Amino acid sequence: MPQTNISLSAVLLAGGKSSRMGQDKALLAPKGIAMIRHCFDIAAAVCESVYVVTPWPERYQEILPKECQFVREEPLFGSTETHGPLVGLLQGLDVVESKYEWVLVLACDLPNLRLDVFEGWLNYLVNSPEEMMAFLPKDERGWQPLCGFYRRRCTVLMEEYIKKGGRSFQGWLQTVPVQELPLADRQILFNCNTAADLQQVATDNSPSFG
C-alpha cells in the first residue's frame, strides 16, 4: 500500500446479470486475467481490505485470494430480485469496519484499470473537506460512480435515499457533495458489456496493471 494517512478499504460490485455479454463478464479474461481478479488486485494494492458484493460468491471463490471477503447481495423488502448497484454498494458499505474513513468502489468489468492512477488519486483524499462524500471521475454521461472513493459515513445519506424509493446512482450523487477526480486517459473507465467490447480490449496492447 502507498504510505498515506488515509485508512482505506474497498468494495467491488459483481451483481450484474451480464445480459448483453451472454455470460458472466466478471470471469472473462481479455488480457489474460479474469476481469474481477484484475480489479481485485488493483484494489488490494491500495487498500487494507477488499470486499466483493455479489448474489453468487460461489462463482468467484476459486479465482480470488483467500483474504477476499464476500458480501452476499440480498434482495430488499421481500423481493426476489436485487435492486442495482446503489443498493449493492450500501450492503457492502454496511459491513466495512468503522476504522476505514474512505472506501474505494469498483465495478468488476474494468479491464483497463491502472494502479498508478489510483495511487495519484489518493492525494485528493488527504485533508479533504469533511462535507465531501465522494471523489469520482466524470465524463460526458455524468459521474462514473463505480470507479472512485466514498466516505464510509455516506451510508446514512444513502440509506435515507433508498428508503424513500431512490435507486438511481446518478440521482443520489446529485444530493451529496462530490469532487471530480482528474483523468488523462479515459480508457481507464472502459467497461466490457458486449462481445465487441471484449474484442477491443483483447487487441489493446497497453499495460493491464500500470
Side-chain angles (χ1 to χ4, degrees):
M1 285 183 55
Q3 296 301 310
T4 70
N5 62 350
I6 298 296
S7 57
L8 193 63
S9 184
V11 170
L12 270 62
L13 298 181
K17 295 181 179 180
S18 305
S19 55
R20 284 182 285 172
M21 186 68 73
Q23 57 183 311
D24 189 345
K25 57 187 177 180
L27 296 173
L28 300 177
K31 292 192 174 184
I33 180 173
M35 285 191 284
I36 191 171
R37 178 59 190 261
H38 175 63
C39 294
F40 177 94
D41 288 346
I42 293 285
V46 295
C47 300
E48 295 178 19
S49 61
V50 183
Y51 298 84
V52 173
V53 180
T54 178
W56 37 78
E58 300 81 7
R59 291 186 187 181
Y60 310 122
Q61 287 174 339
E62 291 187 2
I63 63 173
L64 293 176
K66 292 182 179 180
E67 61 266 27
C68 174
Q69 302 177 69
F70 287 96
V71 178
R72 188 180 293 276
E73 185 177 352
E74 300 289 350
L76 295 181
F77 315 124
S79 171
T80 59
E81 295 289 335
T82 54
H83 291 271
L86 185 66
V87 173
L89 176 56
L90 178 61
Q91 293 182 16
L93 292 175
D94 278 343
V95 303
V96 173
E97 294 180 63
S98 59
K99 68 178 182 179
Y100 296 112
E101 180 183 6
W102 288 96
V103 180
L104 169 62
V105 175
L106 294 175
C108 65
D109 60 349
L110 299 169
N112 293 332
L113 295 183
R114 286 174 28 210
L115 179 58
D116 62 307
V117 172
F118 289 92
E119 290 175 335
W121 281 348
L122 291 179
N123 295 319
Y124 286 82
L125 307 184
V126 179
N127 299 321
S128 58
E130 283 296 317
E131 69 273 13
M132 197 61 59
M133 289 293 110
F135 285 84
L136 301 170
K138 197 174 188 180
D139 62 15
E140 65 279 358
R141 297 169 295 175
W143 296 113
Q144 293 301 301
L146 302 186
C147 187
F149 301 90
Y150 293 78
R151 257 201 170 94
R152 184 188 172 278
R153 58 182 170 83
C154 76
T155 53
V156 176
L157 302 173
M158 193 178 292
E159 186 172 9
E160 289 176 354
Y161 178 81
I162 290 171
K163 283 184 175 179
K164 293 177 181 178
R167 296 293 182 270
S168 166
F169 228 133
Q170 297 292 341
W172 178 72
L173 289 170
Q174 291 176 11
T175 70
V176 297
V178 184
Q179 181 170 325
E180 184 175 356
L181 291 170
L183 189 58
D185 182 5
R186 293 290 166 182
Q187 286 303 305
I188 297 297
L189 301 176
F190 185 84
N191 61 331
C192 284
N193 289 316
T194 66
D197 293 339
L198 198 67
Q199 182 63 29
Q200 180 177 334
V201 174
T203 56
D204 181 6
N205 293 321
S206 60
S208 61
F209 202 78

